[in-house]
Amino acid sequence: MISHFLPLGFAVLASATPISFLPNNLYPATSSSTGFILIANVTDPTRDLSPSINHFQLTGVHIGAGLETAVLSHNAGRTLYENGSTPDSIGIAADSVGDGYYPYGLRIGPLPSDQPDASYVQYVGINIGTAQQGVGITTTNSSVDQPWLELYGPDNGTFIVCLEAHPVYGRPQYPVRFAKIVMVGGVAYQQIPAACVAITLVPQCAALGNPPPDAVYNHEYARTVRCFDDVASVRWS
Ligand SMILES: *[C@@H]1O[C@H](CO)[C@@H](O)[C@H](O)[C@H]1NC(C)=O
Ligand SMILES: *[C@@H]1O[C@H](CO)[C@@H](O)[C@H](O)[C@H]1NC(C)=O
Ligand SMILES: *[C@@H]1O[C@H](CO)[C@@H](O)[C@H](O)[C@H]1NC(C)=O
Ligand SMILES: *[C@@H]1O[C@H](CO)[C@@H](O)[C@H](O)[C@H]1NC(C)=O
């Protein structure tokens, strides 16, 4: 994939092609920021949901006291930050909402065992409490031109988003989950449940707010990450 870039770059330099013919996002702009939102990138556009959820934003919906399930929303992304005093303690925490007294953290954990697909699909939530360790944003490899920034979790697999259009919701819901790679007889299998598609969650820089003065947490350990200025403008190949 990276090999596409050099020949194109040389061709442009060697010819009289105006520079404006270069896709302006060939080397997509990244910045650094503590705050970011996560943008869903449908890795195989032929499998996108209908209507498309490509470039929708990660947020949480309230499902119980201090519990939010992760969903995609068109434009209401929750501001998040990487938190931790050491590389081993990194997790993803959420900017305050409402009165913002308590910290919220991203958690990836088992689905209740009575749920279909519970053996390999994990729940993703933004819950009251500390951020789960082993979840973070990948770092750019400076020896390759294409920055590759995305959310990673503790297991190998892929984030997925599902279409749940039960009439009681009144409108489609897009819960975000994680499909683990399962090993069967030494062979790795990646399964995506029906009505779900694989996504990566790509950081887009956003301003991190300040916790309210009476909050029981602070942003002292918010880490600076690289993030795209505009994920939708990234040309991936
Ligand atoms: C984003 O999606 C495109 C397909 O539209 C894919 O080529 C690219 O690899 C994806 N990037 C990431 C970081 O997932
Ligand atoms: C942020 O990191 C610090 C230091 O590792 C930790 O004490 C605190 O609980 C973390 N906050 C959240 C919301 O996870
Ligand atoms: C960075 O990318 C280069 C080229 O693909 C690869 O050889 C190298 O191992 C990578 N380094 C890291 C730290 O991932
Ligand atoms: C993920 O895959 C890598 C490479 O195949 C492996 O070394 C690592 O142990 C796996 N991690 C988990 C949590 O299974």
Side-chain angles (χ1 to χ4, degrees):
M1 174 179 167
I2 297 306
S3 60
H4 293 176
F5 289 96
L6 278 180
L8 180 56
F10 283 125
V12 169
L13 288 179
S15 76
T17 308
I19 207 76
S20 59
F21 272 57
L22 245 188
N24 61 6
N25 46 12
L26 187 57
Y27 303 100
T30 61
S31 302
S32 43
S33 174
T34 47
F36 55 85
I37 58 175
L38 288 170
I39 307 287
N41 184 57
V42 176
T43 33
D44 178 355
T46 66
R47 312 201 82 133
D48 197 355
L49 299 179
S50 176
S52 173
I53 48 76
N54 201 25
H55 302 148
F56 273 32
Q57 306 180 358
L58 187 87
T59 187
V61 289
H62 185 85
I63 53 164
L67 300 176
E68 294 182 16
T69 200
V71 295
L72 294 185
S73 113
H74 181 52
N75 57 9
R78 180 81 170 267
T79 305
L80 305 168
Y81 60 98
E82 218 185 49
N83 178 74
S85 53
T86 62
D88 287 344
S89 67
I90 288 176
I92 299 288
D95 207 355
S96 43
V97 289
D99 59 13
Y101 186 70
Y102 295 107
Y104 276 78
L106 195 75
R107 304 205 70 89
I108 303 174
L111 280 179
S113 58
D114 61 347
Q115 303 252 322
D117 309 320
S119 61
Y120 66 98
V121 174
Q122 291 180 305
Y123 162 89
V124 182
I126 301 173
N127 297 343
I128 278 189
T130 54
Q132 177 182 345
Q133 294 179 1
V135 183
I137 301 297
T138 53
T139 49
T140 307
N141 179 341
S142 60
S143 70
V144 296
D145 293 324
Q146 181 83 4
W148 198 262
L149 307 169
E150 62 181 280
L151 182 71
Y152 65 82
D155 286 297
N156 290 321
T158 180
F159 289 95
I160 57 175
V161 60
C162 307
L163 173 60
E164 291 186 351
H166 194 282
V168 298
Y169 297 146
R171 61 187 169 84
Q173 303 277 311
Y174 300 109
V176 172
R177 309 227 160 95
F178 187 84
K180 286 199 289 186
I181 288 176
V182 288
M183 301 296 291
V184 180
V187 180
Y189 288 94
Q190 174 78 75
Q191 230 182 314
I192 310 288
C196 304
V197 285
I199 53 171
T200 48
L201 290 164
V202 181
Q204 177 168 300
C205 306
L208 185 61
N210 291 314
D214 57 352
V216 298
Y217 70 102
N218 58 45
H219 289 160
E220 184 181 348
Y221 296 105
R223 302 169 69 91
T224 300
V225 297
R226 290 214 71 82
C227 39
F228 292 104
D229 297 334
D230 178 15
V231 169
S233 72
V234 176
R235 192 171 160 276
W236 294 105
S237 56

